[in-house]
C-alpha cells in the first residue's frame, strides 16, 4: 500500500480514545459545531433569504471574521476561554496526506485508536478534531473528521504541495 504524504509542519495534541472516550467524542462534536455561533446562524438565514446576493463575498467573510475575533477577544478578557479536554500527548506532525499523517517521532501504539486536536495554520486559525488509528509508531490513518475540516485539510494539503513544487522548481533553476 502506497501512501502519498507531503511535508507539513503542524502540531497535534492527542490521547488514546479508550482513556475518556465519552469526553473525547463530546469535544469532537463540539469542535465540529464551531460553525454554529450566532454570527454564522445569522449569515445562514441571510443567505437563505437572498439578503447577501449584492454583497462582495470576500468582504462579507472578512467582516464576519472580524466579528468573531472581537467575540474571542471579549471572551479572553472576561476569562471565558473554551474548556478543552486535557490530552496526554503532544507532537509535531511531519507530513500529511488526504487520509493519513506521519508524526516526527514514534509515539503511537500500532492498532490503537486516538482522539486528537490539530492546530491548523489557516485563516481563521483554529483546532480541528480528528479520530485516528495508528498504522505503526508514527503513521496514522484518519478515521473520522468533520466535513468542513476535511475540506480545509484538503485545501491545506494542496497549498503545501504547491509550495513544495515551487521550491523544487527554484532549486532546479
Amino acid at each position: 500500500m502506497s501512501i502519498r504524504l507531503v511535508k507539513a509542519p503542524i502540531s497535534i495534541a492527542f490521547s488514546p480514545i479508550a482513556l475518556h472516550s465519552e469526553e473525547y467524542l463530546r469535544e469532537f462534536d463540539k469542535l465540529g459545531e464551531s460553525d454554529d455561533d450566532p454570527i454564522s446562524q445569522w449569515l445562514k438565514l441571510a443567505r437563505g433569504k437572498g439578503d447577501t446576493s449584492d454583497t462582495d463575498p470576500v468582504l462579507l467573510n472578512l467582516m464576519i471574521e472580524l466579528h468573531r475575533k472581537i467575540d474571542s477577544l471579549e471572551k479572553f478578557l472576561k476569562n471565558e476561554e473554551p474548556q478543552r479536554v486535557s490530552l496526554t500527548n503532544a507532537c509535531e506532525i511531519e507530513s500529511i496526506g488526504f487520509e493519513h499523517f506521519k508524526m516526527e517521532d514514534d509515539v503511537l501504539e500500532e492498532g490503537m485508536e486516538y482522539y486528537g486536536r490539530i492546530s491548523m495554520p489557516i485563516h481563521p486559525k483554529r483546532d480541528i478534531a480528528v479520530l485516528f488509528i495508528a498504522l505503526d509508531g508514527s503513521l496514522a490513518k484518519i478515521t473520522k473528521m468533520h466535513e468542513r475540516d476535511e475540506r480545509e485539510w484538503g485545501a491545506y494539503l494542496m497549498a503545501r504541495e504547491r509550495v513544495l513544487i515551487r521550491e523544487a522548481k527554484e532549486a532546479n533553476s
Side-chain angles (χ1 to χ4, degrees), residues 107-133:
V107 292
L108 303 174
E109 190 176 316
E110 186 175 341
M112 186 171 284
E113 291 182 82
Y114 294 88
Y115 166 72
R117 283 190 308 263
I118 299 174
S119 300
M120 292 297 288
I122 55 175
H123 179 77
K125 193 168 176 64
R126 64 186 191 87
D127 292 341
I128 62 172
V130 63
L131 299 176
F132 62 94
I133 189 165

Side-chain angles (χ1 to χ4, degrees), residues 3-46:
I3 299 170
R4 200 169 129 255
L5 299 171
V6 173
K7 289 212 175 293
I10 53 181
S11 302
I12 184 170
F14 63 96
S15 288
I17 200 160
L19 291 179
H20 303 285
S21 62
E22 197 172 301
E23 288 178 58
Y24 296 150
L25 294 175
R26 189 175 308 122
E27 183 177 277
F28 178 85
D29 291 338
K30 202 174 190 181
L31 284 175
E33 295 167 0
S34 63
D35 274 7
D36 296 340
D37 61 355
I39 192 79
S40 294
Q41 291 174 354
W42 169 83
L43 182 61
K44 285 177 189 173
L45 284 172

Side-chain angles (χ1 to χ4, degrees), residues 14 91-92 102-109 136-139:
F14 63 96
C91 187
E92 294 300 312
K102 184 170 181 59
M103 308 284 201
E104 277 188 349
D105 303 311
D106 285 350
V107 292
L108 303 174
E109 190 176 316
D136 65 27
S138 63
L139 184 65

Side-chain angles (χ1 to χ4, degrees), residues 71-81:
D71 282 351
S72 72
L73 271 172
E74 187 177 24
K75 286 178 184 175
F76 176 76
L77 291 172
K78 291 180 178 177
N79 218 6
E80 295 176 2
E81 282 299 301

Side-chain angles (χ1 to χ4, degrees), residues 1-5 97 99-101 135 139-141:
M1 172 173 83
S2 174
I3 299 170
R4 200 169 129 255
L5 299 171
E99 296 179 339
H100 298 85
F101 58 89
L135 300 180
L139 184 65
K141 178 174 180 17

Side-chain angles (χ1 to χ4, degrees), residues 43-97:
L43 182 61
K44 285 177 189 173
L45 284 172
R47 284 185 174 149
K49 290 192 263 180
D51 292 345
T52 60
S53 59
D54 295 334
T55 308
D56 178 6
V58 174
L59 190 57
L60 181 62
N61 283 334
L62 283 172
M63 292 300 292
I64 288 168
E65 288 310 318
L66 275 172
H67 188 283
R68 286 186 179 136
K69 285 281 186 200
I70 291 169
D71 282 351
S72 72
L73 271 172
E74 187 177 24
K75 286 178 184 175
F76 176 76
L77 291 172
K78 291 180 178 177
N79 218 6
E80 295 176 2
E81 282 299 301
Q83 293 298 314
R84 297 279 172 87
V85 176
S86 109
L87 300 172
T88 56
N89 303 295
C91 187
E92 294 300 312
I93 292 176
E94 161 188 302
S95 52
I96 63 173

